[in-house]
């Protein structure tokens, strides 16, 4: 119950009260900047009152506008603020922001987390928040002492006036400082003066996560709260034809059965009763538009498309003609399956809907979209809807849904229940609930000249557009090309004179969404496997072959060289072990991985060690970077070895971890992460570790077996059968 | 009525004895540290100790643990060597699987104070982590085995 009181205290933030805990009369400056304004340095000064609260006990609470899903923003963002604010790390706490325009993502214009952009987009503005607040605290002390502010310094949470020996703690100054005008254009520290940034500081959320007191969306308890599960159509686009709730209603604990737009909700006292009730529910489903959808059928459809010209995403020179002039030409077809995000915390959302207001508790990556969708569903103005962001037990993109599916559904259930209600998804609901990483089928051709150098490259991609039908379509789908479908392919870094990348975006009734590393999750596998095929055709070492094509790409070469060197590329390995290499740029960062792999006689692939080099610009917290790369590799390894959703008669066959397995501890390789030192601004870290692992492993399997595998996952049957 | 001993406190609960222990603890006792991940005993997020042994609870009828001592993540002291090691090694990312991991590791080390890497793998394979914290889990268990 104590947790609910804590959550409701967030209402105080709406009064704008923060620095010093008193009411503030400061100007609330518009903060929808856009990336260009940010990079030009032309955005307005931030109001520290929205971001920092300093208590009389000197505890500094940073309000974090991004969602914490394990990637470490609840530590990284406060580090940016604390660095410039000049406070001891031990005094820093953090809190999730409410939904408000001041917390909009500076590049997106709405509040949300994704694209590995939290630190890169906060790098400048959040440091400026800290610097601005520090300046105001100094000004407050200087005014109190009647001395020039220029004679004062700030350090360790205190303002000092050395010549008179006076000092004041921030906790004593905060209320006064909060009332001062907000200065513009406060300069930031030089990197050589960083005390916090660049150090592996302990994460603020580690203790609660180790002790089990961390609160996730699924843990929320409201007075009088009921629990609901929803029966949804087994095939996408299907609807309720009729249902019989008699047996469901008779289950002890079930309070209500009601149709909602997404299916039939069973509301009960507790999860057990709700699921028992749903098991007793009889629903007849009207089929969706493709009731016979099957993986085999899709594969054939996509394969046909891959043989036809598509929308052009890139054309250098005349690849079609150049292919014909090669000394050696190769063509290959690659495919990767639909994938579920499989966050360990299944989807959930709690709603307390009243006549004039609505409160929502959930782990979401998309606050503005969800709040607005909830308001529309509730028939309330957005300012009457308060969305509380809890910790996310994994996001990976599933909780950033432009359709706001799980939040909107919960509002509809709350309308029917006329009581506070938490909608829980079972693992089967979650696995079969759609919004997958799409199925991709690629056809790729390359030609080598007489010297074994690639001269032509034609890559044709077939797969659903994630952005079609979303608000992002307007500026991210151009000329029929969804940027996210070709990222990692259209920006091929290799020095090949004739390059063409084409796209087909078939429309099928399977909801799709970004999945950690998005388009790169598929293009890196194809590109880095096919370049390996060209290397083999040229009789060249895979590392040297790539290196030779990256002369104009120093940052690609930098990570490639570092990974190869630390992996001991070229040196002897224990018997049965083989290496594969891959290099890929995504989300602004450059990553190379070398995988050491063995394959047994049953075709089982074992990854023993992965050596990874990353260039992500300036590093805020190196331990977070290492953790994200370790985690990204293991996340990607599940997709490499196991992950596959298949369709039969319109339905997804898999449902839980018994048929949609994940990598376990005994599968996990030793991972070494090497960070390239850099002083350019930070680039993405959450996702870039994922794309290279699949091709690095597949390339190692080729080295081990002589078999080129062009389809994920690398099941033992496929490795054996070839 | 079911008499349920959780973390040393006995609760008298009017609950269907077929209700899984996980949901009785989470919903009736308000102890939400133990998590729901799959419902089929495949992921281990629901791991508690029953008489000191790591046990999955998402399908375990509460009636079956009458007379036994149930310990949840909340019942392990803050200075437990496994919890300390988990913090020292910065193990958690999203953190959702970690209560189950800590309980599994604590049970393992209580039975095998000095497990071999293979024993660690076998014991901890019962618990899934989607964020890939396995390398740090290995290090934390080694650290906890040495006394933290």
């Amino acid at each position: 119950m104590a947790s609910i009181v804590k959550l409701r205290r967030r209402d105080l933030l709406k009064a704008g009260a923060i620095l010093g805990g008193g009411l503030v009369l400061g100007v609330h400056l518009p903060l929808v900047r856009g990336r260009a304004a940010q990079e030009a340095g032309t955005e307005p000064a931030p109001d520290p009152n929205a971001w920092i609260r300093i208590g009389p006990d000197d505890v500094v609470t940073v309000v974090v506008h991004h969602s914490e899903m394990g990637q470490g923003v609840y530590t990284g963002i406060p580090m940016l603020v604390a660095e410039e604010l000049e406070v001891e790390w031990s005094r820093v706490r953090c809190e999730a922001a409410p939904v408000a325009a001041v917390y909009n993502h500076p590049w997106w214009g709405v509040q949300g987390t994704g694209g590995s952009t939290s630190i890169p987009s906060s790098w400048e503005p959040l440091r400026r928040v800290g610097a601005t607040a520090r300046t105001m605290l100094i000004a407050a002390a200087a005014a109190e002492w009647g001395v020039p502010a220029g004679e004062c310094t700030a350090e360790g949470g205190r303002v000092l006036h050395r010549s008179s020996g006076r000092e004041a703690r921030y906790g004593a100054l905060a209320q006064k400082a909060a009332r001062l005008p907000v200065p513009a254009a406060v300069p930031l520290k030089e990197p050589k003066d960083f005390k916090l940034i660049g150090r592996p500081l302990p994460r603020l959320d580690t203790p609660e996560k180790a002790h089990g007191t961390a609160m996730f969306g699924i843990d929320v308890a409201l007075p009088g709260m009921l629990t609901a599960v929803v029966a949804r159509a087994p095939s996408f686009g299907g609807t309720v034809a009729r249902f019989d709730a008699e047996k469901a209603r008779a289950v002890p604990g079930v309070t209500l059965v009601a149709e909602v737009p997404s299916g039939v909700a069973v509301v009960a006292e507790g999860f057990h009763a709700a699921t028992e009730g749903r098991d007793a529910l009889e629903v007849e489903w009207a089929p969706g538009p493709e009731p016979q959808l099957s993986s085999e059928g899709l594969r054939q459809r996509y394969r046909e498309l891959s043989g036809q010209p598509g929308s052009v995403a890139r054309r250098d020179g005349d690849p079609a003609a150049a292919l014909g002039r090669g000394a050696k030409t190769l063509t290959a077809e690659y495919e990767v399956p639909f994938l579920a995000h499989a966050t360990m915390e299944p989807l959930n959302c709690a709603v307390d809907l009243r006549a004039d207001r609505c409160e929502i508790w959930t782990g979401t990556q998309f606050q503005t979209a969800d709040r607005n969708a909830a308001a529309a569903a509730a028939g309330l103005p957005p300012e009457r809807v308060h969305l509380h962001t809890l910790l996310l037990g994994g996001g990976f993109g599933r909780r950033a849904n432009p359709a706001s599916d799980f939040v909107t559904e919960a509002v509809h259930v709350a309308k029917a229940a006329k009581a506070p209600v938490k909608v829980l998804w079972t693992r089967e609901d979650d696995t079969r609930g759609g919004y997958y990483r799409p199925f991709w089928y690629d056809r790729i051709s390359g030609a080598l000249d007489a010297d074994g150098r690639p001269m032509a490259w034609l890559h044709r991609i077939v797969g659903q557009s994630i952005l079609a039908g979303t608000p992002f379509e307007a500026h991210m789908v151009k000329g029929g090309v969804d940027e996210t479908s070709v990222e990692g392919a259209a920006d091929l870094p290799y020095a090949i004179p004739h390059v063409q990348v084409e796209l087909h975006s078939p429309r099928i009734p399977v909801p799709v969404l970004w999945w950690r590393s998005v388009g790169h999750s598929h293009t890196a596998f194809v590109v880095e496997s096919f370049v390996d095929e060209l290397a083999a055709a040229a009789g060249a070492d895979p590392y040297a072959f790539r290196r030779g094509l990256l002369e104009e790409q120093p940052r690609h070469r930098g990570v490639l060289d570092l990974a190869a060197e630390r992996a001991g590329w070229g040196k002897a390995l224990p018997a049965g072990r083989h290496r594969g290499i891959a290099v890929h740029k995504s989300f602004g960062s450059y990553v190379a991985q070398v995988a050491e792999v063995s394959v047994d006689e049953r075709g089982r692939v074992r990854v023993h060690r992965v050596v990874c080099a990353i260039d992500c610009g300036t590093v805020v917290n190196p331990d977070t970077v290492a953790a994200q790369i370790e985690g990204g590799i293991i996340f990607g390894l599940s997709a490499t070895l196991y992950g596959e959703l298949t369709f039969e008669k319109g339905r997804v066959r898999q449902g839980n971890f018994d048929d949609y397995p994940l990598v376990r501890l005994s599968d996990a390789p030793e991972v070494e992460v090497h960070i390239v030192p850099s002083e350019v601004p930070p680039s993405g870290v959450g996702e870039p570790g994922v794309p290279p692992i699949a091709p690095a492993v597949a390339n190692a399997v080729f080295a081990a077996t002589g078999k080129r595998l062009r389809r994920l996952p690398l099941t033992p049957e496929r490795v054996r059968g070839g | 009525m079911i008499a349920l001993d959780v973390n040393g406190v006995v609760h008298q609960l009017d609950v269907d004895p077929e209700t899984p222990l996980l949901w009785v603890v989470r919903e009736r006792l308000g102890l939400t540290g133990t998590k729901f991940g799959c419902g089929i005993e495949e992921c281990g997020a629901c791991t508690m100790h029953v008489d000191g042994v790591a046990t999955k609870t998402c399908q375990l009828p509460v009636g079956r643990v009458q007379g036994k001592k149930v310990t949840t993540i909340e019942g392990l002291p803050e200075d437990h060597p496994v919890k300390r090691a988990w913090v020292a090694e910065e193990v958690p990312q999203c953190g959702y699987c970690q209560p189950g991991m800590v309980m599994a590791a604590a049970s393992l080390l209580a039975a095998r104070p000095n497990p071999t890497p293979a024993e660690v793998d076998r014991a901890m394979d019962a618990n899934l982590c989607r964020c890939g914290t396995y390398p740090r889990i290995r290090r934390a268990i080694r650290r906890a085995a040495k006394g933290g």
Side-chain angles (χ1 to χ4, degrees):
Chain A
M1 295 303 274
S3 58
I4 298 159
V5 171
K6 185 177 91 166
L7 290 168
R8 288 246 156 86
R9 209 174 284 151
R10 288 206 181 105
D11 287 351
L12 287 177
L13 291 177
K14 299 200 306 288
I18 310 188
L19 191 63
L23 274 176
V24 108
L25 304 170
V27 174
H28 189 100
L29 295 164
L31 266 163
V32 180
R33 302 174 172 128
R35 186 167 185 173
Q38 188 178 90
E39 283 167 357
T42 58
E43 74 274 346
D47 180 359
N49 290 291
W51 300 94
I52 304 170
R53 192 165 66 241
I54 302 179
D57 55 358
D58 298 319
V59 166
V60 177
T61 302
V62 177
V63 178
V64 181
H65 56 318
H66 284 303
S67 306
E68 176 59 71
M69 46 186 149
Q71 84 284 42
V73 287
Y74 275 9
T75 300
I77 301 285
M79 280 178 72
L80 299 179
V81 174
E83 177 69 72
E84 294 286 346
L85 184 57
E86 294 285 0
V87 289
E88 303 288 347
W89 185 241
S90 58
R91 294 279 183 188
V92 177
R93 313 279 179 271
C94 75
E95 200 169 85
V99 185
V102 65
Y103 302 116
N104 284 346
H105 190 303
W107 300 347
W108 298 354
V110 291
Q111 191 169 342
T113 302
S116 301
T117 59
S118 296
I119 295 292
S121 66
S122 298
W123 172 243
E124 205 276 330
L126 273 290
R127 284 188 299 145
R128 203 166 292 286
V129 162
T132 304
R134 184 194 74 234
T135 304
M136 290 161 77
L137 288 156
I138 288 175
E144 208 166 271
W145 298 331
V147 303
E151 287 178 14
C152 301
T153 53
E155 176 184 306
R158 298 162 303 150
V159 180
L160 309 158
H161 184 244
R162 290 201 195 281
S163 51
S164 66
R166 273 179 286 198
E167 69 174 62
R169 293 175 303 108
Y170 282 3
L173 294 166
Q175 286 219 337
K176 238 184 220 166
R179 292 195 279 270
L180 294 177
V182 179
V186 175
L188 301 175
K189 282 184 183 178
E190 295 296 310
K192 65 176 170 56
D193 298 325
F194 286 158
K195 294 176 183 149
L196 301 179
I197 291 173
R199 287 178 44 209
L201 298 180
R203 286 174 60 142
L204 297 182
D205 55 349
T206 293
E208 59 181 330
K209 289 174 174 177
H211 295 301
T213 52
M215 285 255 311
F216 298 83
I218 202 173
D219 300 324
V220 167
L222 306 169
M225 186 181 80
L226 298 169
T227 303
V229 291
V230 177
R232 302 178 189 86
S235 67
F236 294 109
T239 53
V240 179
R242 51 168 287 281
F243 71 97
D244 183 343
E246 193 187 331
K247 295 194 184 109
R249 287 201 191 99
V251 169
V254 171
T255 59
L256 173 79
V257 178
E259 190 172 346
V260 289
S262 51
V264 182
V266 176
V267 185
E269 286 155 1
F271 178 76
H272 180 65
T275 51
E276 296 274 284
R278 188 173 68 174
D279 287 345
L281 183 65
E282 290 165 358
V283 187
E284 199 180 290
W285 299 100
E290 290 210 37
Q292 293 307 314
L293 188 73
S294 74
S295 290
E296 250 326 294
L298 264 187
R299 180 174 296 115
Q300 290 198 37
R301 220 192 286 183
Y302 280 30
R303 181 182 279 145
E304 272 166 39
L305 281 173
S306 76
Q308 298 161 26
S311 304
V312 175
R314 174 173 172 181
R315 180 185 280 134
D316 301 346
D318 189 348
L323 274 173
R325 292 197 301 269
K328 256 190 201 161
T329 308
L330 286 80
T331 296
E333 290 172 28
Y334 281 80
E335 70 174 271
V336 296
F338 287 105
L339 293 176
H341 299 72
T343 58
M344 276 316 298
E345 180 197 12
L347 296 171
N348 58 83
C349 183
V351 177
D352 185 349
L353 176 63
R354 310 291 170 110
D356 62 344
R357 60 188 268 121
C358 179
E359 273 193 88
I360 298 170
W361 289 262
T362 190
T364 177
Q365 297 170 239
F366 245 30
Q367 284 84 356
T368 309
D370 286 355
R371 192 274 312 269
N372 291 352
L380 288 169
E383 51 276 13
R384 291 300 181 89
V385 178
H386 306 291
L387 189 150
H388 306 282
T389 303
L390 283 290
L391 290 169
L392 282 63
F396 311 122
R398 181 59 179 92
R399 290 180 151 109
N401 194 341
S404 296
D405 66 324
F406 61 94
V407 171
T408 312
E409 178 185 78
V411 172
H412 286 294
V413 174
K415 271 163 86 167
K418 298 193 188 3
V421 68
K422 186 197 301 177
V423 177
L424 288 183
W425 294 47
T426 63
R427 176 58 52 189
E428 289 79 5
D429 294 341
D430 200 293
T431 306
R432 295 183 175 134
Y435 296 101
Y436 304 131
R437 196 285 302 270
F439 166 57
W440 296 98
Y441 197 96
D442 292 18
R443 195 178 146 91
I444 184 165
S445 302
L448 301 172
D449 64 18
D451 299 321
R453 252 188 104 83
M455 47 178 282
W457 175 286
L458 200 157
H459 183 181
R460 192 175 289 143
I461 297 169
V462 183
Q464 290 167 271
S465 164
I466 289 167
L467 302 180
T470 73
F472 295 91
E473 184 170 11
H475 54 270
M476 286 175 79
V477 181
K478 302 216 154 73
V481 176
D482 179 333
E483 267 181 41
T484 68
S485 299
V486 299
E487 57 189 3
D491 48 335
L492 186 77
Y494 296 113
I496 301 174
H498 303 274
V499 172
Q500 187 154 318
V501 180
E502 293 176 15
L503 175 67
H504 291 278
S505 303
R507 294 196 175 225
I508 57 173
V510 177
V512 290
L513 194 59
W514 29 62
W515 179 100
R516 191 177 185 182
S517 79
V518 197
H520 300 279
S521 74
H522 120 258
T523 56
F525 172 59
V526 180
V527 169
E528 283 300 290
S529 294
F530 194 65
V531 79
D532 222 62
E533 293 202 56
L534 293 178
D541 171 271
Y543 161 47
F545 187 76
R546 285 171 170 79
R547 204 178 190 286
L549 297 168
L550 292 170
E551 267 156 41
E552 307 293 313
Q553 308 288 352
R555 293 178 79 183
H556 282 85
R557 258 190 299 113
V559 290
L560 187 66
D561 287 344
L562 182 55
E565 186 231 312
R566 295 295 161 93
W569 187 273
K571 300 203 175 103
L573 272 170
R577 292 206 193 177
H578 301 266
R579 292 187 185 99
I581 194 165
V583 60
H584 194 81
K585 176 190 176 187
S586 66
F587 308 97
S589 296
Y590 303 77
V591 176
Q593 292 174 6
V594 175
E596 275 175 33
V597 165
S598 62
V599 180
D600 72 11
E601 66 288 345
R602 285 167 53 181
R604 284 179 310 188
V605 174
R606 195 174 157 80
V607 183
H608 301 274
R609 177 185 179 223
V610 178
V611 175
C612 181
I614 177 166
D615 176 353
C616 52
T618 298
V619 169
V620 173
N621 189 319
D623 196 52
T624 302
V625 174
Q628 283 303 287
I629 297 304
E630 291 159 18
I633 284 170
I634 289 168
F635 184 91
L637 197 55
S638 283
T640 305
L641 299 179
Y642 301 133
E644 185 168 23
L645 294 176
T646 56
F647 280 85
E648 276 165 24
K649 296 203 171 58
R651 302 177 181 206
V652 174
R653 223 197 71 210
Q654 291 74 17
N656 208 316
F657 297 126
D658 51 353
D659 51 16
Y660 189 79
L662 302 179
V663 161
R664 293 185 184 263
L665 186 83
S666 58
D667 295 322
E670 295 297 319
V671 179
E672 298 162 30
V673 180
H674 303 280
I675 302 172
V676 173
S678 170
E679 287 198 346
V680 304
S683 48
V685 168
E687 291 163 285
V690 176
I693 190 62
V697 170
N699 293 340
V701 170
F702 175 73
T705 64
K707 281 198 200 113
R708 173 56 58 181
L709 286 146
R710 302 188 179 100
R711 181 174 166 183
L712 294 180
L714 307 176
T715 63
E717 296 74 29
R718 289 176 190 151
V719 174
R720 275 198 322 266
Chain B
M1 291 293 267
I2 306 262
L4 190 60
D5 179 343
V6 177
N7 298 334
V9 176
V10 179
H11 305 266
Q12 298 291 340
L13 298 170
D14 182 10
V15 68
D16 175 357
E18 288 302 304
T19 313
L21 177 60
L22 173 66
W23 295 104
V24 174
V25 166
R26 282 183 59 85
E27 292 175 335
R28 298 294 296 269
L29 303 185
L31 295 170
T32 56
T34 315
K35 306 302 186 196
F36 167 70
C38 72
I40 61 168
E41 297 189 344
E42 276 283 336
C43 78
C46 64
T47 304
M48 302 179 195
H49 291 174
V50 177
D51 287 339
V53 176
T55 308
K56 291 175 181 169
T57 62
C58 62
Q59 291 184 320
L60 176 62
V62 66
R64 253 200 255 150
V65 297
Q66 280 203 104
K68 298 184 197 277
K69 290 192 175 307
V70 175
T71 315
T72 69
I73 184 74
E74 293 92 342
L76 280 195
E78 266 195 27
D79 63 352
H80 190 285
V82 173
K83 284 188 171 179
R84 278 206 322 265
W86 244 244
V87 172
E89 293 292 340
E90 294 285 338
V91 175
Q93 290 187 28
C94 88
Y96 192 75
C97 76
Q98 300 298 342
M101 291 287 183
V102 168
M103 297 308 279
S107 173
L108 165 68
L109 291 176
R112 302 283 291 161
N114 248 309
T116 64
E119 283 168 338
V120 171
D121 279 12
R122 252 197 313 278
M124 299 303 292
D125 260 3
N127 291 64
L128 283 176
C129 171
R130 185 56 164 152
C131 297
T133 65
Y134 301 125
R136 293 180 183 230
I137 289 173
R138 284 188 179 128
R139 285 204 292 273
I141 291 176
R142 269 202 300 275
R143 188 182 188 116
K146 291 193 186 113

